[in-house]
Amino acid sequence: FRLRGVGNAQGGAIGEPGVAVYIDDVYASGIRQNYPQQFDIARMEVLRGPQGGLYGRNAIGGAINITTAAADPTEFAAEGRLSAASFDRLDLFAVANLPLAKDVAAARFALWRLDQGEGEHFNPVRRTWLDSFTTTGGRLSLGGDLSETRRWSIVAEASDTDGPGSLLFSPGRETRKTMRRNAEDRADTQNFRITPKLVFDTALGEATLVYGYRRYEQSLSADGDFSDLVAPGTTADVRTPGNKEELSTH
């Protein structure tokens, strides 16, 4: 993200961003930025910076605040959506809101699956599309009233994405349309986050206690020489543990 011309000034995998992203009031940027699928979102706020006075670190360009839909204890609701597009794309989304105790507590479930079987980068050696991907995930939101002045909520979300790794190509020997590889350039990424929250109404206003935990794991497979050549006595497919990040915030 870039706001007012400010983004990731350092660049690269270890560069901290200049725009802070918050999901359900928890900081979600950092070295490894893992944002949720934009399904069942209540609102998204874009705040021009600097926003350090309200949002703290890395908000010189501004802040983006994403709030997911909360569980509603007043009514039952359900929704589903299925869409298809080019490149053998199929998206499925479903959500259900279930009151657990009338006007006291509720649970909200959101599930999604995005599947794209083709793309723009074809590997004629393995007869596969390098930019095909599959994303599966879900979100559980619980919430309710402890009293007239106290409210609680818990949001837990997990997702798994199998998608393209690097799409680098060798000019003169191949094009972006036909990229010859004898190994897959893939990235398998798992995200998990959980956010419990307590809200109190006081004489001076509203007070919020929030805790956030998130885990990011990624494993990579790549063709080291970016070609369809295999050196004698070596393996074509190189798989590495990749990156891991585990953070807790309160």
Side-chain angles (χ1 to χ4, degrees):
F1 295 110
R2 299 184 70 88
L3 288 176
R4 301 175 61 248
V6 178
N8 190 336
Q10 299 180 30
I14 62 173
E16 288 278 2
V19 176
V21 177
Y22 283 77
I23 302 173
D24 293 326
D25 296 325
V26 175
Y27 183 73
S29 294
I31 294 176
R32 297 292 170 188
Q33 304 178 27
N34 49 324
Y35 307 135
Q37 292 294 326
Q38 303 306 306
F39 294 120
D40 204 30
I41 300 297
R43 66 183 181 274
M44 182 181 295
E45 302 165 344
V46 180
L47 309 172
R48 290 166 57 89
Q51 289 288 338
L54 292 176
Y55 287 91
R57 62 182 287 191
N58 301 336
I60 187 67
I64 297 176
N65 189 25
I66 302 172
T67 303
T68 59
D72 184 357
T74 63
E75 64 177 357
F76 168 81
E79 177 188 356
R81 185 167 67 242
L82 177 66
S83 62
S86 56
F87 298 123
D88 194 23
R89 176 69 177 262
L90 188 66
D91 294 353
L92 173 65
F93 166 70
V95 61
N97 186 88
L98 305 174
L100 301 178
K102 184 68 172 177
D103 298 329
V104 176
R108 189 178 185 92
F109 305 89
L111 301 172
W112 57 84
R113 179 178 174 86
L114 289 71
D115 191 1
Q116 179 173 303
E118 299 179 0
E120 296 182 338
H121 305 279
F122 184 68
N123 181 1
V125 177
R126 300 179 65 95
R127 308 293 299 175
T128 57
W129 297 92
L130 276 71
D131 47 347
S132 63
F133 72 89
T134 300
T135 296
T136 304
R139 183 186 307 129
L140 170 63
S141 301
L142 300 171
D145 297 332
L146 294 174
S147 68
E148 293 184 356
T149 60
R150 293 179 294 174
R151 299 177 297 279
W152 66 276
S153 66
I154 299 176
V155 179
E157 180 177 320
S159 66
D160 189 338
T161 299
D162 179 21
S166 72
L167 292 179
L168 298 177
F169 73 106
S170 175
R173 189 170 56 185
E174 61 186 0
T175 68
R176 294 182 186 274
K177 295 292 184 180
T178 57
M179 302 172 66
R180 303 182 64 85
R181 302 284 191 274
N182 56 4
E184 295 286 354
D185 288 306
R186 307 295 292 175
D188 186 14
T189 306
Q190 293 90 37
N191 286 312
F192 174 77
R193 70 180 182 94
I194 185 168
T195 305
K197 185 188 302 184
L198 283 174
V199 180
F200 303 86
D201 293 329
T202 69
L204 298 178
E206 189 177 86
T208 301
L209 297 178
V210 60
Y211 172 83
Y213 170 85
R214 63 188 176 102
R215 186 180 70 245
Y216 169 97
E217 294 187 9
Q218 184 182 69
S219 58
L220 306 169
S221 61
D223 191 314
D225 59 3
F226 303 104
S227 75
D228 57 350
L229 303 177
V230 180
T234 64
T235 178
D237 195 359
V238 179
R239 192 164 188 87
T240 62
N243 309 293
K244 286 187 178 182
E245 183 183 22
E246 189 169 351
L247 296 175
S248 44
T249 307
H250 56 84

mmCIF file of all heavy atoms in Angstrom, residues 132-149:
data_model
loop_
_atom_site.group_PDB
_atom_site.id
_atom_site.type_symbol
_atom_site.label_atom_id
_atom_site.label_comp_id
_atom_site.label_asym_id
_atom_site.label_seq_id
_atom_site.Cartn_x
_atom_site.Cartn_y
_atom_site.Cartn_z
ATOM 1 N N SER A 132 -1.099 -20.527 -11.692
ATOM 2 C CA SER A 132 -2.332 -21.077 -11.117
ATOM 3 C C SER A 132 -2.229 -21.029 -9.598
ATOM 4 O O SER A 132 -1.133 -21.014 -9.022
ATOM 5 C CB SER A 132 -2.537 -22.522 -11.583
ATOM 6 O OG SER A 132 -1.483 -23.347 -11.126
ATOM 7 N N PHE A 133 -3.369 -20.996 -8.916
ATOM 8 C CA PHE A 133 -3.332 -20.943 -7.464
ATOM 9 C C PHE A 133 -4.649 -21.444 -6.884
ATOM 10 O O PHE A 133 -5.689 -21.472 -7.552
ATOM 11 C CB PHE A 133 -3.064 -19.514 -6.962
ATOM 12 C CG PHE A 133 -4.220 -18.570 -7.132
ATOM 13 C CD1 PHE A 133 -5.185 -18.427 -6.146
ATOM 14 C CD2 PHE A 133 -4.351 -17.835 -8.299
ATOM 15 C CE1 PHE A 133 -6.254 -17.568 -6.313
ATOM 16 C CE2 PHE A 133 -5.417 -16.965 -8.470
ATOM 17 C CZ PHE A 133 -6.373 -16.831 -7.487
ATOM 18 N N THR A 134 -4.577 -21.832 -5.614
ATOM 19 C CA THR A 134 -5.753 -22.238 -4.848
ATOM 20 C C THR A 134 -5.644 -21.652 -3.447
ATOM 21 O O THR A 134 -4.603 -21.765 -2.797
ATOM 22 C CB THR A 134 -5.864 -23.769 -4.755
ATOM 23 O OG1 THR A 134 -5.975 -24.327 -6.065
ATOM 24 C CG2 THR A 134 -7.084 -24.169 -3.937
ATOM 25 N N THR A 135 -6.698 -21.004 -2.989
ATOM 26 C CA THR A 135 -6.758 -20.450 -1.639
ATOM 27 C C THR A 135 -8.001 -20.972 -0.940
ATOM 28 O O THR A 135 -9.110 -20.866 -1.476
ATOM 29 C CB THR A 135 -6.799 -18.911 -1.661
ATOM 30 O OG1 THR A 135 -5.582 -18.419 -2.215
ATOM 31 C CG2 THR A 135 -6.962 -18.353 -0.250
ATOM 32 N N THR A 136 -7.826 -21.534 0.244
ATOM 33 C CA THR A 136 -8.931 -22.023 1.061
ATOM 34 C C THR A 136 -8.807 -21.420 2.455
ATOM 35 O O THR A 136 -7.709 -21.377 3.014
ATOM 36 C CB THR A 136 -8.918 -23.548 1.158
ATOM 37 O OG1 THR A 136 -8.935 -24.116 -0.159
ATOM 38 C CG2 THR A 136 -10.127 -24.059 1.927
ATOM 39 N N GLY A 137 -9.915 -20.933 2.996
ATOM 40 C CA GLY A 137 -9.836 -20.331 4.322
ATOM 41 C C GLY A 137 -11.186 -20.212 4.992
ATOM 42 O O GLY A 137 -12.234 -20.500 4.401
ATOM 43 N N GLY A 138 -11.135 -19.809 6.243
ATOM 44 C CA GLY A 138 -12.362 -19.620 7.005
ATOM 45 C C GLY A 138 -12.146 -18.685 8.170
ATOM 46 O O GLY A 138 -11.009 -18.484 8.622
ATOM 47 N N ARG A 139 -13.247 -18.103 8.635
ATOM 48 C CA ARG A 139 -13.203 -17.181 9.765
ATOM 49 C C ARG A 139 -14.370 -17.467 10.695
ATOM 50 O O ARG A 139 -15.503 -17.644 10.251
ATOM 51 C CB ARG A 139 -13.279 -15.732 9.268
ATOM 52 C CG ARG A 139 -13.164 -14.693 10.382
ATOM 53 C CD ARG A 139 -13.402 -13.275 9.847
ATOM 54 N NE ARG A 139 -12.550 -12.984 8.723
ATOM 55 C CZ ARG A 139 -12.994 -12.504 7.559
ATOM 56 N NH1 ARG A 139 -14.284 -12.263 7.386
ATOM 57 N NH2 ARG A 139 -12.154 -12.261 6.577
ATOM 58 N N LEU A 140 -14.080 -17.520 11.982
ATOM 59 C CA LEU A 140 -15.102 -17.710 13.015
ATOM 60 C C LEU A 140 -15.119 -16.475 13.904
ATOM 61 O O LEU A 140 -14.082 -16.085 14.458
ATOM 62 C CB LEU A 140 -14.805 -18.948 13.856
ATOM 63 C CG LEU A 140 -15.651 -19.137 15.120
ATOM 64 C CD1 LEU A 140 -17.132 -19.310 14.767
ATOM 65 C CD2 LEU A 140 -15.151 -20.320 15.944
ATOM 66 N N SER A 141 -16.293 -15.872 14.029
ATOM 67 C CA SER A 141 -16.456 -14.705 14.899
ATOM 68 C C SER A 141 -17.486 -15.028 15.974
ATOM 69 O O SER A 141 -18.600 -15.464 15.659
ATOM 70 C CB SER A 141 -16.918 -13.486 14.096
ATOM 71 O OG SER A 141 -15.998 -13.158 13.082
ATOM 72 N N LEU A 142 -17.104 -14.833 17.222
ATOM 73 C CA LEU A 142 -17.996 -15.010 18.355
ATOM 74 C C LEU A 142 -18.124 -13.673 19.069
ATOM 75 O O LEU A 142 -17.157 -12.900 19.136
ATOM 76 C CB LEU A 142 -17.461 -16.060 19.324
ATOM 77 C CG LEU A 142 -17.245 -17.472 18.776
ATOM 78 C CD1 LEU A 142 -16.514 -18.327 19.798
ATOM 79 C CD2 LEU A 142 -18.568 -18.114 18.403
ATOM 80 N N GLY A 143 -19.299 -13.393 19.615
ATOM 81 C CA GLY A 143 -19.463 -12.135 20.326
ATOM 82 C C GLY A 143 -20.768 -12.078 21.090
ATOM 83 O O GLY A 143 -21.686 -12.864 20.847
ATOM 84 N N GLY A 144 -20.821 -11.151 22.030
ATOM 85 C CA GLY A 144 -22.039 -10.981 22.818
ATOM 86 C C GLY A 144 -21.867 -9.939 23.896
ATOM 87 O O GLY A 144 -20.846 -9.237 23.964
ATOM 88 N N ASP A 145 -22.871 -9.842 24.752
ATOM 89 C CA ASP A 145 -22.898 -8.870 25.844
ATOM 90 C C ASP A 145 -22.690 -9.579 27.174
ATOM 91 O O ASP A 145 -23.345 -10.582 27.462
ATOM 92 C CB ASP A 145 -24.227 -8.118 25.870
ATOM 93 C CG ASP A 145 -24.450 -7.293 24.615
ATOM 94 O OD1 ASP A 145 -23.446 -6.876 24.005
ATOM 95 O OD2 ASP A 145 -25.631 -7.081 24.245
ATOM 96 N N LEU A 146 -21.761 -9.049 27.968
ATOM 97 C CA LEU A 146 -21.586 -9.521 29.331
ATOM 98 C C LEU A 146 -22.532 -8.797 30.279
ATOM 99 O O LEU A 146 -22.966 -9.346 31.285
ATOM 100 C CB LEU A 146 -20.141 -9.318 29.777
ATOM 101 C CG LEU A 146 -19.087 -10.150 29.028
ATOM 102 C CD1 LEU A 146 -17.695 -9.748 29.475
ATOM 103 C CD2 LEU A 146 -19.308 -11.638 29.245
ATOM 104 N N SER A 147 -22.811 -7.545 29.964
ATOM 105 C CA SER A 147 -23.755 -6.726 30.730
ATOM 106 C C SER A 147 -24.154 -5.551 29.844
ATOM 107 O O SER A 147 -23.804 -5.513 28.665
ATOM 108 C CB SER A 147 -23.111 -6.246 32.036
ATOM 109 O OG SER A 147 -22.073 -5.331 31.760
ATOM 110 N N GLU A 148 -24.853 -4.610 30.399
ATOM 111 C CA GLU A 148 -25.250 -3.449 29.614
ATOM 112 C C GLU A 148 -24.072 -2.568 29.231
ATOM 113 O O GLU A 148 -24.164 -1.789 28.279
ATOM 114 C CB GLU A 148 -26.271 -2.616 30.404
ATOM 115 C CG GLU A 148 -27.611 -3.312 30.614
ATOM 116 C CD GLU A 148 -28.608 -2.417 31.317
ATOM 117 O OE1 GLU A 148 -28.204 -1.290 31.704
ATOM 118 O OE2 GLU A 148 -29.778 -2.834 31.477
ATOM 119 N N THR A 149 -22.982 -2.690 29.936
ATOM 120 C CA THR A 149 -21.824 -1.824 29.676
ATOM 121 C C THR A 149 -20.585 -2.590 29.247
ATOM 122 O O THR A 149 -19.537 -1.977 29.036
ATOM 123 C CB THR A 149 -21.479 -0.998 30.932
ATOM 124 O OG1 THR A 149 -21.161 -1.901 32.016
ATOM 125 C CG2 THR A 149 -22.648 -0.122 31.334
#
